[in-house]
Tab-separated table of all heavy atoms in Angstrom:
chain	number	residue	atom	x	y	z
A	335	ASN	N	4.934	-39.795	24.654
A	335	ASN	CA	3.776	-40.673	24.433
A	335	ASN	C	3.075	-41.001	25.745
A	335	ASN	O	1.846	-41.045	25.820
A	335	ASN	CB	4.226	-41.964	23.739
A	335	ASN	CG	4.599	-41.716	22.295
A	335	ASN	OD1	4.086	-40.790	21.658
A	335	ASN	ND2	5.496	-42.526	21.769
A	336	GLU	N	3.860	-41.232	26.787
A	336	GLU	CA	3.276	-41.523	28.090
A	336	GLU	C	2.436	-40.347	28.589
A	336	GLU	O	1.335	-40.519	29.109
A	336	GLU	CB	4.392	-41.824	29.095
A	336	GLU	CG	3.895	-42.110	30.498
A	336	GLU	CD	5.033	-42.292	31.475
A	336	GLU	OE1	6.178	-42.535	31.019
A	336	GLU	OE2	4.787	-42.178	32.686
A	337	ALA	N	2.938	-39.146	28.386
A	337	ALA	CA	2.216	-37.956	28.832
A	337	ALA	C	0.944	-37.755	28.035
A	337	ALA	O	-0.091	-37.346	28.562
A	337	ALA	CB	3.118	-36.733	28.711
A	338	LYS	N	0.994	-38.037	26.735
A	338	LYS	CA	-0.200	-37.893	25.902
A	338	LYS	C	-1.297	-38.850	26.348
A	338	LYS	O	-2.481	-38.509	26.351
A	338	LYS	CB	0.143	-38.142	24.432
A	338	LYS	CG	0.852	-36.971	23.765
A	338	LYS	CD	1.046	-37.230	22.288
A	338	LYS	CE	1.685	-36.014	21.608
A	338	LYS	NZ	1.905	-36.259	20.161
A	339	GLN	N	-0.916	-40.060	26.729
A	339	GLN	CA	-1.897	-41.025	27.212
A	339	GLN	C	-2.511	-40.549	28.527
A	339	GLN	O	-3.700	-40.683	28.765
A	339	GLN	CB	-1.238	-42.394	27.397
A	339	GLN	CG	-0.837	-43.038	26.070
A	339	GLN	CD	-0.016	-44.297	26.259
A	339	GLN	OE1	0.207	-44.736	27.383
A	339	GLN	NE2	0.435	-44.884	25.165
A	340	ALA	N	-1.679	-39.951	29.365
A	340	ALA	CA	-2.181	-39.437	30.633
A	340	ALA	C	-3.175	-38.309	30.408
A	340	ALA	O	-4.124	-38.134	31.173
A	340	ALA	CB	-1.018	-38.939	31.491
A	341	ALA	N	-2.969	-37.538	29.336
A	341	ALA	CA	-3.860	-36.414	29.041
A	341	ALA	C	-5.250	-36.875	28.630
A	341	ALA	O	-6.176	-36.081	28.562
A	341	ALA	CB	-3.262	-35.545	27.946
A	342	ALA	N	-5.404	-38.163	28.372
A	342	ALA	CA	-6.708	-38.686	27.975
A	342	ALA	C	-7.727	-38.583	29.106
A	342	ALA	O	-8.919	-38.763	28.889
A	342	ALA	CB	-6.579	-40.148	27.537
A	343	ILE	N	-7.266	-38.302	30.322
A	343	ILE	CA	-8.201	-38.170	31.440
A	343	ILE	C	-8.997	-36.870	31.363
A	343	ILE	O	-9.817	-36.588	32.223
A	343	ILE	CB	-7.479	-38.253	32.792
A	343	ILE	CG1	-6.447	-37.130	32.929
A	343	ILE	CG2	-6.805	-39.589	32.973
A	343	ILE	CD1	-5.763	-37.109	34.285
A	344	LEU	N	-8.762	-36.090	30.300
A	344	LEU	CA	-9.639	-34.941	30.039
A	344	LEU	C	-10.953	-35.503	29.512
A	344	LEU	O	-11.207	-35.553	28.324
A	344	LEU	CB	-9.009	-34.016	28.993
A	344	LEU	CG	-7.899	-33.094	29.461
A	344	LEU	CD1	-7.271	-32.425	28.267
A	344	LEU	CD2	-8.448	-32.059	30.408
A	345	GLU	N	-11.784	-35.959	30.440
A	345	GLU	CA	-12.952	-36.726	30.045
A	345	GLU	C	-14.017	-35.911	29.341
A	345	GLU	O	-14.849	-36.454	28.634
A	345	GLU	CB	-13.567	-37.401	31.292
A	345	GLU	CG	-14.285	-36.469	32.263
A	345	GLU	CD	-13.356	-35.577	33.058
A	345	GLU	OE1	-12.142	-35.867	33.080
A	345	GLU	OE2	-13.829	-34.589	33.642
A	346	ASP	N	-14.016	-34.602	29.518
A	346	ASP	CA	-15.102	-33.784	28.986
A	346	ASP	C	-14.579	-32.901	27.865
A	346	ASP	O	-13.846	-31.955	28.100
A	346	ASP	CB	-15.686	-32.920	30.111
A	346	ASP	CG	-16.968	-32.239	29.669
A	346	ASP	OD1	-17.285	-32.314	28.465
A	346	ASP	OD2	-17.641	-31.656	30.519
A	347	GLY	N	-14.946	-33.195	26.620
A	347	GLY	CA	-14.441	-32.441	25.491
A	347	GLY	C	-15.341	-31.328	25.011
A	347	GLY	O	-15.094	-30.744	23.971
A	348	LYS	N	-16.405	-31.028	25.720
A	348	LYS	CA	-17.297	-29.959	25.309
A	348	LYS	C	-16.598	-28.619	25.427
A	348	LYS	O	-16.055	-28.269	26.468
A	348	LYS	CB	-18.536	-29.950	26.191
A	348	LYS	CG	-19.709	-30.736	25.638
A	348	LYS	CD	-20.131	-30.269	24.296
A	348	LYS	CE	-21.599	-29.909	24.293
A	348	LYS	NZ	-22.061	-29.697	22.912
A	349	ALA	N	-16.616	-27.836	24.342
A	349	ALA	CA	-15.888	-26.571	24.305
A	349	ALA	C	-16.319	-25.638	25.433
A	349	ALA	O	-15.478	-25.026	26.109
A	349	ALA	CB	-16.080	-25.899	22.942
A	350	GLU	N	-17.630	-25.503	25.651
A	350	GLU	CA	-18.125	-24.581	26.672
A	350	GLU	C	-17.634	-24.967	28.065
A	350	GLU	O	-17.261	-24.098	28.868
A	350	GLU	CB	-19.663	-24.542	26.657
A	350	GLU	CG	-20.267	-23.871	25.426
A	350	GLU	CD	-20.355	-24.809	24.222
A	350	GLU	OE1	-19.916	-25.983	24.346
A	350	GLU	OE2	-20.855	-24.383	23.171
A	351	ARG	N	-17.615	-26.261	28.359
A	351	ARG	CA	-17.188	-26.708	29.687
A	351	ARG	C	-15.683	-26.568	29.857
A	351	ARG	O	-15.195	-26.259	30.941
A	351	ARG	CB	-17.627	-28.156	29.908
A	351	ARG	CG	-19.137	-28.265	30.052
A	351	ARG	CD	-19.586	-29.677	30.272
A	351	ARG	NE	-21.041	-29.738	30.307
A	351	ARG	CZ	-21.742	-30.790	29.902
A	351	ARG	NH1	-21.124	-31.839	29.420
A	351	ARG	NH2	-23.052	-30.777	29.972
A	352	ILE	N	-14.953	-26.800	28.794
A	352	ILE	CA	-13.503	-26.612	28.864
A	352	ILE	C	-13.177	-25.153	29.147
A	352	ILE	O	-12.312	-24.834	29.962
A	352	ILE	CB	-12.828	-27.071	27.553
A	352	ILE	CG1	-12.837	-28.594	27.474
A	352	ILE	CG2	-11.394	-26.554	27.462
A	352	ILE	CD1	-12.261	-29.163	26.193
A	353	LEU	N	-13.881	-24.236	28.488
A	353	LEU	CA	-13.646	-22.814	28.713
A	353	LEU	C	-13.975	-22.418	30.150
A	353	LEU	O	-13.285	-21.581	30.745
A	353	LEU	CB	-14.465	-21.975	27.730
A	353	LEU	CG	-13.850	-21.873	26.326
A	353	LEU	CD1	-14.885	-21.411	25.317
A	353	LEU	CD2	-12.654	-20.930	26.333
A	354	GLU	N	-15.001	-23.012	30.724
A	354	GLU	CA	-15.324	-22.735	32.124
A	354	GLU	C	-14.203	-23.225	33.040
A	354	GLU	O	-13.840	-22.558	34.021
A	354	GLU	CB	-16.647	-23.399	32.504
A	354	GLU	CG	-17.870	-22.643	32.024
A	354	GLU	CD	-17.925	-21.219	32.569
A	354	GLU	OE1	-17.690	-21.032	33.790
A	354	GLU	OE2	-18.182	-20.294	31.781
A	355	LYS	N	-13.649	-24.405	32.720
A	355	LYS	CA	-12.535	-24.928	33.519
A	355	LYS	C	-11.325	-24.019	33.409
A	355	LYS	O	-10.637	-23.737	34.399
A	355	LYS	CB	-12.166	-26.339	33.043
A	355	LYS	CG	-13.186	-27.404	33.375
A	355	LYS	CD	-12.711	-28.770	32.878
A	355	LYS	CE	-13.740	-29.860	33.192
A	355	LYS	NZ	-13.298	-31.187	32.696
A	356	LEU	N	-11.062	-23.542	32.203
A	356	LEU	CA	-9.929	-22.645	31.994
A	356	LEU	C	-10.136	-21.333	32.738
A	356	LEU	O	-9.222	-20.819	33.397
A	356	LEU	CB	-9.744	-22.382	30.494
A	356	LEU	CG	-9.105	-23.500	29.673
A	356	LEU	CD1	-9.309	-23.255	28.183
A	356	LEU	CD2	-7.617	-23.602	29.993
A	357	LYS	N	-11.326	-20.784	32.629
A	357	LYS	CA	-11.640	-19.509	33.275
A	357	LYS	C	-11.443	-19.618	34.781
A	357	LYS	O	-10.893	-18.701	35.434
A	357	LYS	CB	-13.078	-19.114	32.945
A	357	LYS	CG	-13.482	-17.735	33.440
A	357	LYS	CD	-14.900	-17.413	32.987
A	357	LYS	CE	-15.337	-16.040	33.481
A	357	LYS	NZ	-16.727	-15.728	33.045
Side-chain angles (χ1 to χ4, degrees):
N335 288 332
E336 179 185 342
K338 283 185 177 179
Q339 291 172 4
I343 61 176
L344 282 171
E345 72 288 345
D346 190 351
K348 266 303 235 191
E350 290 82 359
R351 290 180 184 149
I352 287 177
L353 280 163
E354 281 301 314
K355 289 181 181 179
L356 284 165
K357 186 177 179 180

